[in-house]
Amino acid sequence: MAPEESTYDEAQIAERLGTLPGWYYEDGAIRRAYDTSGWPITLMLVNAVGFCAEAANHHPDLTVSWGRVTVALSTHS
């Protein structure tokens, strides 16, 4: 059985997010909103995020609307 990975505290999260433009911490998740030029690009972005998430076996919450996708990553640990 693999050892349990440790989670970051809020100070560690803030430090690491300092190197990731556009990402922020809110309500227990790291988040980023991506603006797109319309519905077709929004759907392509959702599919790309979904593909990468499945490959990493980590599944973010996505909020999808015309011209915008918001990604929220958290852990159940």
Side-chain angles (χ1 to χ4, degrees), residues 19-52:
T19 64
L20 298 171
W23 289 89
Y24 59 97
Y25 183 70
E26 181 180 78
D27 297 329
I30 59 171
R31 301 170 185 274
R32 181 167 178 181
Y34 293 92
D35 292 325
T36 71
S37 60
W39 191 243
I41 303 301
T42 298
L43 293 177
M44 285 189 270
L45 177 57
V46 167
N47 284 319
V49 170
F51 182 84
C52 293

Side-chain angles (χ1 to χ4, degrees), residues 44-68:
M44 285 189 270
L45 177 57
V46 167
N47 284 319
V49 170
F51 182 84
C52 293
E54 187 64 23
N57 196 32
H58 191 83
H59 305 97
D61 292 325
L62 302 176
T63 303
V64 180
S65 60
W66 188 96
R68 179 172 268 229

